[in-house]
Amino acid sequence: MTSRPAIPRHIAIVMDGNGRWAKARHRPRSFGHNAGRKAVREVVEGCLREGVEALTLFAFSSENWRRPEEEVGALMTLFVRALDKETDELHAQGVRLRFVGDLAAFDQPLRERMQAAMTRTTGNRKLHLNIAVNYGGRWDIVQAARDAAAAVGRGELRAEAIDEAVLGSRMCLAELPPLDLFIRTGGECRLSNFLLWQAAYAELHFTDTLWPDFDQASLHRAIEDYGRRERRYGRTGDQVATDKG
Ligand code: FPP
């Protein structure tokens, strides 16, 4: 009898390497970001095929504003184009699109487009696709703490009642399955302030593949790698084996 392979319910990806991919082709960085957009499509298809429930992509970090103005502008244009071009198909495929992060920093037309895409796809359940923009893991923890503090101020919550569950429920993506697999492409092995709270028990998968080259086969390899991990949550290997038996 063959047992079903373990499929992560929720995958997060730091899509790194667009710039180097473009540089290797003597093209501007925006060319790499554009190729990165195609890889996003590949991975969404892959997640739908593999039965992953939620996919969270780091598209623009709170630190990315420090990039040259021209590159930031090119990325914004790319996001708008991608929204205009992809929302119909994502909707048809049953994908629920959500933007997470401090959206207040974006200009009004972009915010309106993001909101329209979220509203339009809100009833979809095949795949939760979360795009993190102007997002930072520490920002996420701070906004959850502020929200809890405000509830204390209003007399709706006792300070002593604040525990992991109370704070966790105020964090981005709280209503989705816990993060199982954290992937980073482009050869760096760090979290870069992405989903710090949510990644507490995630399996980490680092690959040298540059993001524009990351395809469905790469995703499948990452999922296979995940399937070989033993998730212990603080228990011993023997305890985990006994539970499985
Ligand atoms: C990191 O590569 C990539 C980004 C900061 C932008 C990610 C954006 C996309 C993949 C575009 C499409 C996204 C959506 C959601 C439509 P880098 O520029 O840091 O690469 P480098 O490390 O090689 O310089």
Side-chain angles (χ1 to χ4, degrees), residues 4-203:
R4 261 184 49 150
I7 301 292
R9 296 180 68 196
H10 187 169
I11 298 179
I13 309 183
V14 177
M15 309 178 285
D16 200 9
N18 293 347
R20 279 165 283 162
W21 187 91
K23 195 171 178 193
R25 287 159 181 78
H26 310 285
R27 301 295 297 268
R29 295 175 61 80
S30 55
F31 182 70
H33 293 317
N34 208 36
R37 181 178 135 191
K38 292 181 191 128
V40 169
R41 165 78 17 240
E42 271 278 308
V43 166
V44 167
E45 299 289 341
C47 284
L48 286 165
R49 226 174 63 179
E50 306 261 5
V52 173
E53 293 169 52
L55 172 67
T56 304
L57 301 174
F58 207 5
F60 195 84
S61 74
S62 15
E63 290 79 29
N64 283 151
W65 295 108
R66 295 187 201 136
R67 294 194 171 200
E69 207 179 312
E70 189 191 313
E71 183 172 345
V72 172
L75 274 169
M76 295 301 146
T77 308
L78 182 67
F79 294 150
V80 172
R81 286 221 186 107
L83 267 174
D84 290 349
K85 237 184 120 182
E86 309 283 354
T87 306
D88 280 351
E89 192 170 349
L90 291 171
H91 185 45
Q93 288 176 309
V95 176
R96 179 176 183 177
L97 190 58
R98 226 179 316 204
F99 293 89
V100 294
D102 189 0
L103 305 187
F106 296 103
D107 64 22
Q108 184 73 8
L110 181 52
R111 266 184 0 230
E112 277 170 14
R113 274 179 159 100
M114 289 177 183
Q115 192 50 56
M118 289 196 271
T119 306
R120 178 141 178 248
T121 60
T122 195
N124 296 340
R125 289 292 175 272
K126 259 258 167 73
L127 173 69
H128 292 269
L129 174 60
N130 311 300
I131 311 287
V133 282
N134 196 25
Y135 175 89
R138 289 180 177 174
W139 165 84
D140 197 357
I141 295 169
V142 167
Q143 64 83 25
R146 273 201 193 137
D147 192 59
V152 171
R154 290 193 302 272
E156 294 163 11
L157 181 67
R158 285 179 308 110
E160 313 78 64
I162 298 177
D163 58 11
E164 288 185 20
V166 167
L167 211 52
S169 69
R170 289 170 156 80
M171 220 68 74
C172 289
L173 315 177
E175 62 289 4
L176 295 178
L179 184 60
D180 289 322
L181 176 60
F182 184 111
I183 299 173
R184 183 177 185 140
T185 62
E188 310 288 354
C189 301
R190 51 178 176 258
L191 304 187
S192 291
N193 199 20
F194 190 39
L195 301 175
L196 297 180
W197 176 281
Q198 297 84 345
Y201 288 103
E203 295 296 329

